[in-house]
Amino acid sequence: MDPVVIPILVAAIVVVFLVASTVRIVPQARRYNVERFGRYRRTLQPGLNLVLPVADRINTKLDVREQVYSSDPKPVITADNLVVNIDTVLYYQITDPRAAAYEVADYLQAIDQLTVTTLRNVIGSMDLEGTLTSREEINARLRSVLDDATGKWGIRVNRVEIKAIDPPNTIKEAMEKQMRAERDKRAAILHAEGERQAKILTAEGTKQKDILEAQGTQQAMILRADGEAKAVERVFQAVHRNNADPKILAYKYLETLPHLAKSDNNTFWVIPGELTEAVRAVTSAFSDQSVMGLPPSAPPAEAAATAAAEVAEQAAAVVSDAKAEAEAAGAPQVLGRGQPPGD
């Protein structure tokens, strides 16, 4: 090989090495801290950057995107002396690469320890129930403390979340029993309220039903009474309009009496004293017609006499039957008006 070529190759290699050492390409969302002779010089931004070969070197490469750090469960004692394990999730972002590299040796370990101490301070002032129901308050206090402490480290804490709170197994069993008892209590209360409402609605329905039935019965009785009153009024008007004499009224009286006696509901009734007077009035009416010279064969007179005789026979038969039934049943005998009980 030609002795001239060797120096040229060595020079070319040196130039390539120097160019490669001078040019630094930084990806997006990355930051490189450059030291010159062991001292911080500057932070390289994304893109093409030139450094001094041999004198400058890259110390740390940092990712400035938002990152997630999940810590292991840490035991914490509550105000009522119960040990609970709390697992947290931290969302942070590097805002100053120089401070993150030179202000703290390991920022993740520092954040983890700071989270544990802050949790113990916060949870130590709360009981177990307050710890389980105050996650938002705990998260806000943690974020405030961590953001203040990590600001000088070039780190911004965007969000802190409690992922899990695990009380002891005995406390879990006691809480489950308490919750089951509360559910049973609410179920019993709801069942009792339902039965109460059902009974109230049933009672109201029965009340409305009785009221409506009573109103219906009242209206029926009123209408029936109005009908009977109108019927009596018409009969009364008809009697007065036809100028009926006492003999006709006595005849109608005798005609109605057997119907009253045949009622099934009459177990005790009194024979009015006007019965004999009514029979006498009808008999005298027909006797008067015979005396006045009416022919015996006159059809109206014979019909009236026959009807009067039938009515008298029916009345007597009804009275006899009623007496016989009363004596057979041991009931009180039928009394006529003015007749003493001993006769």
Side-chain angles (χ1 to χ4, degrees):
M1 180 178 293
D2 190 355
V4 179
V5 176
I6 295 175
I8 294 174
L9 291 176
V10 173
I13 293 173
V14 171
V15 170
V16 171
F17 175 75
L18 291 176
V19 171
S21 300
T22 302
V23 177
R24 291 289 185 269
I25 298 176
V26 180
Q28 184 66 32
R30 301 291 193 278
R31 302 292 187 272
Y32 292 173
N33 291 325
V34 177
E35 293 179 351
R36 178 172 294 178
F37 298 113
R39 184 176 182 180
Y40 172 77
R41 178 65 181 174
R42 62 194 177 97
T43 300
L44 302 182
Q45 300 298 321
L48 181 62
N49 295 272
L50 298 177
V51 296
L52 186 63
V54 180
D56 294 342
R57 74 180 183 89
I58 297 175
N59 181 28
T60 54
K61 298 179 180 180
L62 299 175
D63 190 346
V64 296
R65 293 174 297 179
E66 185 174 6
Q67 301 182 49
V68 180
Y69 175 72
S70 179
S71 64
D72 296 330
K74 300 295 189 299
V76 181
I77 301 176
T78 61
D80 46 357
N81 297 325
L82 293 176
V83 179
V84 295
N85 294 322
I86 299 180
D87 188 5
T88 59
V89 177
L90 180 68
Y91 297 85
Y92 69 94
Q93 185 177 11
I94 297 176
T95 58
D96 188 356
R98 187 197 65 81
Y102 297 102
E103 294 296 334
V104 61
D106 188 351
Y107 58 85
L108 287 179
Q109 183 181 5
I111 292 174
D112 187 29
Q113 296 300 320
L114 183 59
T115 302
V116 172
T117 56
T118 306
L119 272 176
R120 288 175 178 172
N121 292 332
V122 173
I123 302 300
S125 60
M126 296 182 179
D127 56 4
L128 179 60
E129 185 176 358
T131 302
L132 296 176
T133 58
S134 304
R135 291 197 177 193
E136 293 296 332
E137 181 182 354
I138 298 173
N139 294 337
R141 295 177 65 177
L142 277 175
R143 182 182 179 279
S144 176
V145 173
L146 291 175
D147 197 19
D148 292 340
T150 59
K152 63 180 180 179
W153 299 339
I155 297 173
R156 181 177 68 246
V157 177
N158 297 325
R159 191 172 183 180
V160 180
E161 293 290 341
I162 294 179
K163 186 166 61 176
I165 299 176
D166 296 328
N169 293 329
T170 55
I171 301 301
K172 288 182 180 179
E173 294 177 358
M175 292 172 62
E176 290 177 357
K177 292 180 180 179
Q178 181 180 2
M179 294 176 63
R180 191 179 302 112
E182 289 291 335
R183 292 191 184 97
D184 294 340
K185 176 183 176 181
R186 289 196 295 267
I189 292 174
L190 292 176
H191 182 69
E193 288 291 337
E195 290 185 351
R196 176 173 173 270
Q197 292 294 331
K199 290 181 180 180
I200 291 175
L201 293 176
T202 302
E204 291 180 353
T206 304
K207 176 183 176 181
Q208 293 295 331
K209 176 184 175 183
D210 294 340
I211 292 175
L212 293 177
E213 290 181 352
Q215 291 178 352
T217 304
Q218 179 184 10
Q219 293 293 331
M221 295 176 65
I222 292 174
L223 293 175
R224 191 180 300 111
D226 291 341
E228 292 178 357
K230 291 181 179 179
V232 172
E233 183 180 359
R234 289 187 179 181
V235 171
F236 183 76
Q237 292 177 358
V239 170
H240 282 275
R241 185 168 54 251
N242 296 326
N243 196 15
D245 57 0
K247 298 175 181 179
I248 296 176
L249 297 178
Y251 174 74
K252 296 299 293 181
Y253 182 80
L254 292 175
E255 187 179 11
T256 307
L257 184 61
H259 296 286
L260 297 175
K262 290 180 180 180
S263 177
D264 296 334
N265 297 327
N266 291 337
T267 57
F268 178 80
W269 52 284
V270 179
I271 299 175
E274 290 82 357
L275 176 62
T276 55
E277 296 179 1
V279 174
R280 190 180 301 111
V282 174
T283 304
S284 68
F286 294 120
S287 299
D288 293 341
Q289 290 181 359
S290 300
V291 173
M292 291 173 62
L294 295 175
S297 60
E302 292 178 359
T306 304
E310 291 179 357
V311 169
E313 291 177 0
Q314 290 178 3
V318 169
V319 173
S320 300
D321 293 340
K323 289 182 177 182
E325 293 177 358
E327 291 177 357
Q333 295 183 355
V334 180
L335 301 177
R337 181 178 294 180
Q339 183 179 357
D343 293 342

